Amino acid sequence: MQRYILRRLLLMVPTLLGVTFVVFVIVRAVPGDVVDLVLGEFGAGDQATKEAIRKEFGLEGNIVAQYVRWLGDIVQFDLGRSLISNREVTSELRNRLPVTFQLGAMAIFFSLLIAIPVGVISAIRQDTWADYAGRSFAIGLLAAPNFWIAILLISLAARYFQWGVPPAKYIPFTDDPIGNLKLMFMPALILGGGLSGSVMRFTRSSMLEVLRQDYIRTAWAKGLRERVIIIRHAMRNALIPVITVVGLQLPVLVGGTVIIETVYSIPGMGRYYVSSIDQKDYPVIQAVNIVVALVVVFANLTVDVLYSVIDPRIRYS
């Protein structure tokens, strides 16, 4: 296992380098000079000021030289400074990452809380009204965009029930845990509901396959109770592929937080990313993509390691 983890960690290096280079090139391929945007219309013609800004933020020279210089700063854990606010990107992400991680963790919790019970019930009651209802529910969650549900809930709930409107100011968890959870509950539920559709369908398919195995028939023949067969024997093996689906949904989850944080005015990494794209803030865009890439690759590694924890028969060499 140690050799497998070490090999995966080494393979992450070229993956991260490829991601960073692609993002580095793409953001600079967008038409327009970011220095003109920083200076505004009054300083757009001042060449001396432009050159000073390019030197200050490492924008001088060709793109390869800029990339190498930027990689050198990343190795020293220096993500640079925002072109617009001139604030340290590292300190901004340090404040915003916990907010996004909390939203993502709550969304995954709600996703599993909805998907696994409904998927299991749909499988063990195959071709009954419960199965049809579960599959229809899953298709509905997959079809409805989460941003549309969020806007609809805000509009209808505010008009008819006087609740659901995002507060004017974000409430940190450390200041008021109850108020923070009330604020994050609805965004996390909407985001988790969107993710639960595919997990639910995959849980049902995996559970049906396990229930047809010989050892499950043997358990029925021994006279074991249905609850014991489902929970102790079937679910443990059926959930192994489901973990893969949850791990592969992390990029989708990151994309969802970008939209939900914008709709609900949550000061997380996704909202910060949207504003940086609007302003062509290169350091912020690059830093956020590095964080997302790290989360995805380490999450995939964690999923692979969890296989051997859930099923001791699985071993890596």
Side-chain angles (χ1 to χ4, degrees):
M1 176 64 73
Q2 289 84 355
R3 286 182 299 180
Y4 172 77
I5 295 175
L6 179 61
R7 187 166 65 249
R8 286 289 300 272
L9 291 174
L10 292 176
L11 288 174
M12 289 179 186
V13 176
T15 302
L16 292 173
L17 286 175
V19 170
T20 57
F21 183 75
V22 170
V23 172
F24 196 89
V25 172
I26 288 178
V27 295
R28 282 160 176 77
V30 177
D33 190 350
V34 68
V35 178
D36 290 336
L37 181 63
V38 173
L39 289 174
E41 59 178 305
F42 297 104
D46 191 347
Q47 293 299 324
T49 305
K50 284 185 177 182
E51 293 301 324
I53 291 176
R54 287 193 174 94
K55 184 176 181 180
E56 177 71 17
F57 290 97
L59 299 175
E60 76 277 17
N62 58 49
I63 193 169
V64 176
Q66 293 181 36
Y67 179 70
V68 172
R69 189 162 49 244
W70 177 68
L71 276 183
D73 294 336
I74 295 299
V75 172
Q76 302 175 41
F77 300 99
D78 180 10
L79 297 177
R81 287 180 291 124
S82 169
L83 297 176
I84 307 302
S85 65
N86 202 31
R87 295 177 181 174
E88 291 287 340
V89 178
T90 305
S91 62
E92 287 284 343
L93 290 180
R94 189 181 300 118
N95 295 329
R96 295 173 182 271
L97 274 175
V99 179
T100 298
F101 282 155
Q102 180 192 356
L103 178 61
M106 291 178 65
I108 292 175
F109 171 77
F110 284 128
S111 172
L112 298 178
L113 188 65
I114 297 170
I116 292 179
V118 177
V120 171
I121 293 173
S122 181
I124 61 179
R125 299 292 183 264
Q126 185 182 11
D127 296 331
T128 63
W129 67 267
D131 184 21
Y132 296 139
R135 282 190 283 176
S136 301
F137 183 51
I139 294 173
L141 291 174
L142 287 171
N146 53 25
F147 67 87
W148 177 78
I149 296 176
I151 295 173
L152 189 66
L153 284 177
I154 291 173
S155 302
L156 296 180
R159 180 170 182 177
Y160 296 106
F161 304 102
Q162 286 76 48
W163 66 274
V165 180
K169 186 178 180 182
Y170 173 75
I171 305 172
F173 184 82
T174 53
D175 294 347
D176 184 3
I178 302 299
N180 173 269
L181 292 176
K182 288 181 179 179
L183 167 66
M184 301 290 278
F185 174 81
M186 190 57 66
L189 181 61
I190 295 172
L191 192 56
L195 296 175
S196 67
S198 57
V199 178
M200 189 188 310
R201 289 172 62 85
F202 208 92
T203 301
R204 177 184 180 277
S205 301
S206 179
M207 195 71 181
L208 285 173
E209 183 178 353
V210 170
L211 289 174
R212 298 188 182 104
Q213 300 298 316
D214 291 338
Y215 69 91
I216 297 295
R217 297 192 185 97
T218 303
W220 284 111
K222 288 181 177 179
L224 296 178
R225 290 181 298 175
E226 182 183 37
R227 184 172 60 181
V228 174
I229 295 173
I230 298 301
I231 296 177
R232 186 174 298 178
H233 297 283
M235 282 188 60
R236 184 166 187 175
N237 292 314
L239 290 181
I240 294 177
V242 175
I243 294 175
T244 305
V245 177
V246 175
L248 293 176
Q249 281 189 331
L250 282 175
V252 180
L253 177 63
V254 172
T257 57
V258 171
I259 300 173
I260 293 297
E261 285 179 4
T262 303
V263 173
Y264 279 90
S265 301
I266 299 173
M269 190 175 64
R271 190 179 174 194
Y272 187 43
Y273 187 57
V274 170
S275 63
S276 67
I277 292 176
D278 290 338
Q279 299 171 327
K280 296 182 182 178
D281 201 341
Y282 295 167
V284 176
I285 297 172
Q286 294 160 184
V288 172
N289 276 279
I290 287 177
V291 173
V292 172
L294 284 171
V295 169
V296 172
V297 295
F298 276 105
N300 288 333
L301 175 61
T302 304
V303 167
D304 290 342
V305 173
L306 281 176
Y307 284 165
S308 62
V309 175
I310 296 178
D311 191 348
R313 297 173 298 176
I314 299 177
R315 288 291 179 265
Y316 299 104
S317 59

